[in-house]
Amino acid sequence: MSSRVLKFLVIFIAVGVVAFARFGRFEPVENVAASTAEDPVKARAAFNEAVKVFFSARCSNCHPGGDAPTQGDERRIHDQDVKRGPDGKGVAGMECATCHQAENMDGEGLPPGAPNWHMPPAGNKMVFQGMTAAALCQQLKDPARNGGRKTLKESIHHIETDPLVGWAWNPGNGRSAPPLSQADFLKKLNEWIDAGAACPE
Amino acid sequence: MTKISVNKKVFETDSDPSTPMLWVLRDEFGLTGTKFGCGIAQCGSCTIHVDGEARRSCVTPISAVVGKEVTTIEGLSPDSSHPLQKAWIAEDAPQCGYCQSGQIMAAAAMLKKTPKPTDADIDQAMNGIICRCGTYNRVRAAIKLAAMNGGK
Ligand code: FES
Ligand code: FES
């Protein structure tokens, strides 16, 4: 078999697998165009790096499994019994924005701020806390659980452009930043996608 | 000079745009109904409304209210006739009174969005408003009474 035919076959099968997966239970999103250089080992390695950011206090504090956000590097339950509310913006009378402004307030003990301070809505909790890397990876690829983002590049776009996400790298007042820079985080995520977005096992 | 609309009146201030509204309201505009408890968004006694939503004025800078309508306890009703104010009197809710304008403003913001609150709705909205006198039960009773009287 010539190498051209072989290459064609490999791509044909890969597309077939992706198409089949789309009808699977979770309808995982795969980036067909970018998967020409599929390399699951590379993809998993990149994801395992990137996932450290999702699990950092800055990101996971607002992505709890229950309805209470956590706070601080020690991830204690948020003071004042703050709750998610239906739209992720708190409950009537005690919204996130009741205290969190569009920017940090300067001074010890003052609430951090960024535009549209909120957490994921009740209907799509996008949980980070208590997840394994593998589970978080599957969730990211599942539009039913990733905030309705249909392609992986769409999810990455949110991480790249949302000022609330960007705040994590400039949190102020002695709060720790995630272990990778935002640029390195995006680089790892793109590496993961371009290598076929395989998930850790 | 920054123009700010408070209780449907326009006020002016020269303070830095990062100055918290609590300072401006009390020290410059003479609206002392709003109380200073902690200054770091922990107690709720400084709660006001910005475009009808509850905001803690000790952490709300001037820049965040420009072009918006600020309401303080003085402006909740023209004549203390808001159903919450009436219910507060009927239930004899205050003890020392220090936290109470914050309690009422938070409750008013909640009732706007949740006119028929359950106990859980009330607790959830009011949990973060600290009362050193422990008037919580009477506050909750007063909110229920106001809700029954169709109060927003
Ligand atoms: S004085 Fe604003 S919350 Fe305590
Ligand atoms: S009535 Fe005294 S602090 Fe609440």
Side-chain angles (χ1 to χ4, degrees):
Chain A
M1 221 181 312
S2 83
S3 77
R4 271 189 65 186
V5 173
L6 194 68
K7 215 165 154 192
F8 176 78
L9 257 180
V10 168
I11 292 173
F12 184 79
I13 291 168
V15 169
V17 167
V18 168
F20 178 76
R22 278 180 182 261
F23 292 103
R25 192 162 57 94
F26 291 130
E27 299 188 15
V29 179
E30 301 285 350
N31 197 319
V32 180
S35 64
T36 44
E38 282 212 10
D39 183 345
V41 175
K42 190 176 167 201
R44 285 188 192 110
F47 190 83
N48 279 330
E49 274 304 301
V51 82
K52 293 176 186 163
V53 174
F54 292 114
F55 289 155
S56 74
R58 289 296 79 71
C59 300
S60 66
N61 270 344
C62 289
H63 288 262
D67 285 326
T70 51
Q71 69 180 102
D73 284 357
E74 72 280 26
R75 301 159 210 243
R76 67 179 190 277
I77 296 281
H78 196 301
D79 292 344
Q80 299 140 335
D81 195 22
V82 162
K83 288 286 153 63
R84 180 192 305 273
D87 56 5
K89 295 185 172 172
V91 299
M94 196 156 70
E95 288 91 0
C96 306
T98 297
C99 300
H100 294 278
Q101 300 295 321
E103 49 194 294
N104 278 353
M105 299 290 288
D106 219 5
E108 208 182 323
L110 282 164
N116 194 21
W117 195 273
H118 70 289
M119 53 196 294
N124 204 327
K125 292 187 180 178
M126 288 173 261
V127 178
F128 295 178
Q129 287 184 28
M131 299 283 265
T132 61
L136 184 55
C137 181
Q138 296 296 349
Q139 174 175 275
L140 263 180
K141 298 196 325 182
D142 177 4
R145 295 185 298 149
N146 75 3
R149 296 180 178 93
K150 293 198 183 61
T151 67
L152 286 172
K153 292 282 180 189
E154 237 179 87
S155 300
I156 308 303
H157 184 73
H158 155 71
I159 289 166
E160 200 167 0
T161 55
D162 188 331
L164 178 54
V165 176
W167 170 89
W169 283 276
N170 199 5
N173 282 358
R175 299 173 191 99
S176 71
L180 306 183
S181 72
Q182 190 173 13
D184 287 347
F185 179 46
L186 286 162
K187 203 171 120 216
K188 289 289 164 201
L189 287 173
N190 280 309
E191 250 175 63
W192 168 62
I193 296 170
D194 293 343
C199 282
E201 273 144 12
Chain B
M1 187 68 75
T2 312
K3 286 189 164 55
I4 303 174
S5 179
V6 183
N7 302 333
K8 306 213 167 79
K9 274 204 290 225
V10 177
F11 291 80
E12 289 183 340
T13 173
D14 277 329
S15 293
D16 188 273
S18 66
T19 311
M21 278 305 292
L22 178 58
W23 276 251
V24 184
L25 289 171
R26 291 182 55 86
D27 294 353
E28 294 182 38
F29 302 168
L31 294 166
T32 51
T34 306
K35 301 298 187 228
F36 171 95
C38 65
I40 53 168
Q42 291 285 322
C43 73
S45 69
C46 67
T47 304
I48 58 171
H49 295 177
V50 177
D51 282 349
E53 310 229 18
R55 292 289 180 269
R56 295 190 172 189
S57 61
C58 67
V59 292
T60 303
I62 292 173
S63 57
V65 306
V66 174
K68 303 191 171 161
E69 179 60 29
V70 174
T71 310
T72 67
I73 186 74
E74 290 92 340
L76 187 61
S77 67
D79 50 3
S80 305
S81 61
H82 189 285
L84 278 168
Q85 289 169 314
K86 287 191 188 155
W88 239 249
I89 294 166
E91 291 292 340
D92 211 0
Q95 185 70 25
C96 81
Y98 199 82
C99 70
Q100 298 290 327
S101 37
Q103 305 275 6
I104 293 177
M105 293 308 279
M110 175 197 58
L111 286 183
K112 261 192 207 150
K113 292 188 181 170
T114 318
K116 297 262 169 284
T118 61
D119 276 9
D121 290 333
I122 296 174
D123 290 352
Q124 216 51 88
M126 306 300 292
N127 256 342
I129 321 248
I130 311 297
C131 174
R132 63 190 170 186
C133 302
T135 63
Y136 302 109
N137 291 338
R138 293 194 310 225
V139 163
R140 193 209 268 164
I143 293 173
K144 282 190 180 170
L145 180 61
M148 249 161 45
N149 295 333
K152 8 183 161 71

